[in-house]
Amino acid sequence: MPHAVRPRSLPRPGPVPAPRARAPRVRSLIDADALSVLHRAARILLDDLPRLSDQLVALLQDQEPAYRSAIENDATEIWQEVHRSLRHSIASLLDPRGVRDAARRCSWKIGVTRAEQGLPLDALLHAFRLGGSLVWQSLVEETSRAAPEDVRLLVHVASDVWNFVDEHCTVVADSYRQTERQLAWRRENRVRLLAAALLDGTSRIADLPETALALDLPEHGRYVVVAVAGGFAACPGAQAALAPGVRVHWHTGVDTDHGIVRVSDDTEPVVEDEQPPGVRVGVSSAVEGLAAVGEARGLADTALSLCPETGGTVRLTEHLPAALVVSSPDLGAALADRLFGPLARLEPADAEVLLDTLATWLACDGSAQRASRRLYCHRNTVLNRLRRYEQLTGRSLSRPFDLVEVTLALTARRLLPR
């Protein structure tokens, strides 16, 4: 009689695991045979490197115009570079792990050298691909000569050859671009140093030809310097402060940008009169030659110091008296103290009224009538205040010399810190 209960010791039915697939042995045998064929041909090519190098140099000269001039200039150096590169390429087929680092260093150095010499990257990559094609073609030809029946096996190792070419195209492109960035940074830094020395007035006469070439400005020409501060400071935004079409070399500073502008004459519109709120612009008078740009920078900074905080454009040639005052602040302060010192005996508010009336009267070209309208008082009140100033200081506003001193003293009072 059969058991009603299945014994615990019997296995339960379940999915039967699929047998693990075995790698086909035929494939590994083919790969091994293919490698043997590859190594045999590669050893022959290593012994024939000088001829292969000659072939590749001839191909470069024929198919790559950028290399043509390099070969004409230094054929020996190009041949040695080609020889080293081919040697590492073929040796890597025999010993990929052992040669890999040396081969990468070789390709990296080639990328650096060619970037420094200005050879186009496209030409360099084309040269590497031509080298890969030559190696592959030579492997096929050598195998066809020695053992024609084995040529078909090379198909199984073709990827090794072209993977090497692709890898080293990437290496050489990376080194080329990195070197190109470094060279660009050095050029930009050199230009900045030369421009800074020019603006600081520390540029040597011997450096002027290099500076002119780097800044693309003639050594002998007429220049003004523009100083820009405020919202537009930081190139290239400062360009917006200039008149349309003005060509300038900008030098960025911490708070102020300076532009070196070549001009034809003093009437040339270098800078717009109106500026956005908060943008302050100072324009120097014109100087002759790059050697005088440092002097022009100082004049531009002086003009900028005269510009109100609200913004605008100040041309030094239109504000020379004020520039004299701020250029010698100690003398300006001494003049203000001499002209307005006697007013210290008055109440501060009374002294302020007299000085404001004096400044307004001068701004109105000596017209008491116009000054009274600005000050919202009677004309006689203006005249009385002016006479009171004359009595307190012993100055006469009808005497030209005293009037010049008063004007400069008021400018010093307005511009210099108290």
Side-chain angles (χ1 to χ4, degrees), residues 377-416:
C377 63
H378 195 274
R379 173 180 177 277
N380 289 340
T381 302
V382 172
L383 293 174
N384 289 335
R385 290 173 182 173
L386 296 178
R387 277 194 293 270
R388 189 180 180 201
Y389 169 78
E390 290 178 323
Q391 291 168 357
L392 289 170
T393 61
R395 303 285 167 173
S396 171
L397 297 177
S398 60
R399 187 183 303 134
F401 183 82
D402 288 354
L403 195 58
V404 169
E405 282 194 323
V406 168
T407 303
L408 291 175
L410 284 170
T411 302
R413 179 175 177 272
R414 175 171 57 87
L415 295 176
L416 300 179

Side-chain angles (χ1 to χ4, degrees), residues 91-348:
S92 70
L93 300 176
L94 296 167
D95 183 13
R97 292 184 180 178
V99 179
R100 185 174 188 271
D101 289 343
R104 289 174 66 89
R105 285 195 298 271
C106 177
S107 295
W108 185 275
K109 184 178 180 181
I110 291 173
V112 170
T113 301
R114 295 301 159 212
E116 290 174 343
Q117 293 177 351
L119 186 83
L121 178 57
D122 288 346
L124 184 56
L125 294 177
H126 185 207
F128 266 72
R129 294 189 182 101
L130 282 176
S133 297
L134 178 62
V135 169
W136 174 248
Q137 181 183 345
S138 299
L139 289 170
V140 172
E141 289 175 353
E142 175 55 34
T143 304
S144 298
R145 184 191 64 78
E149 68 279 4
D150 291 339
V151 170
R152 58 185 177 80
L153 293 174
L154 288 178
V155 173
H156 299 285
V157 292
S159 61
D160 294 339
V161 177
W162 293 109
N163 285 342
F164 179 91
V165 174
D166 289 342
E167 177 189 357
H168 283 259
C169 280
T170 301
V171 170
V172 79
D174 288 345
S175 69
Y176 186 100
R177 293 190 181 103
Q178 179 175 313
T179 304
E180 202 172 37
R181 287 192 296 269
Q182 292 173 346
L183 291 172
W185 180 85
R186 289 175 193 166
R187 283 193 296 268
E188 291 170 4
N189 193 52
R190 181 59 178 165
V191 168
R192 179 169 177 78
L193 291 174
L194 290 170
L198 201 63
L199 288 163
D200 291 343
T202 57
S203 183
R204 300 179 305 174
I205 297 297
D207 291 335
L208 288 178
E210 181 189 359
T211 303
L213 184 63
L215 274 57
D216 193 21
L217 295 170
E219 184 177 347
H220 304 288
R222 193 170 176 80
Y223 293 97
V224 299
V225 171
V226 178
V228 181
F232 277 170
C235 309
Q239 181 71 33
L242 303 187
V246 172
R247 187 166 166 272
V248 57
H249 177 86
W250 285 109
H251 181 77
T252 308
V254 178
D255 300 314
T256 305
D257 293 342
H258 292 91
I260 305 171
V261 185
R262 188 186 180 196
V263 295
S264 300
D265 54 63
D266 291 333
T267 62
E268 193 170 340
V270 174
V271 180
E272 299 283 7
D273 291 328
E274 297 296 327
Q275 301 295 341
V279 177
R280 302 165 51 241
V281 181
V283 185
S284 75
S285 52
V287 297
E288 294 293 337
L290 283 179
V293 164
E295 174 189 345
R297 182 258 177 91
L299 298 175
D301 287 343
T302 298
L304 184 64
S305 69
L306 301 176
C307 195
E309 291 298 324
T310 54
T313 297
V314 171
R315 295 178 176 82
L316 188 74
T317 52
E318 299 171 2
H319 298 80
L320 291 176
L324 287 172
V325 170
V326 298
S327 297
S328 300
D330 292 340
L331 293 178
L335 180 63
D337 183 64
R338 181 183 175 191
L339 270 290
F340 306 137
L343 303 184
R345 297 191 296 268
L346 303 177
E347 290 292 327

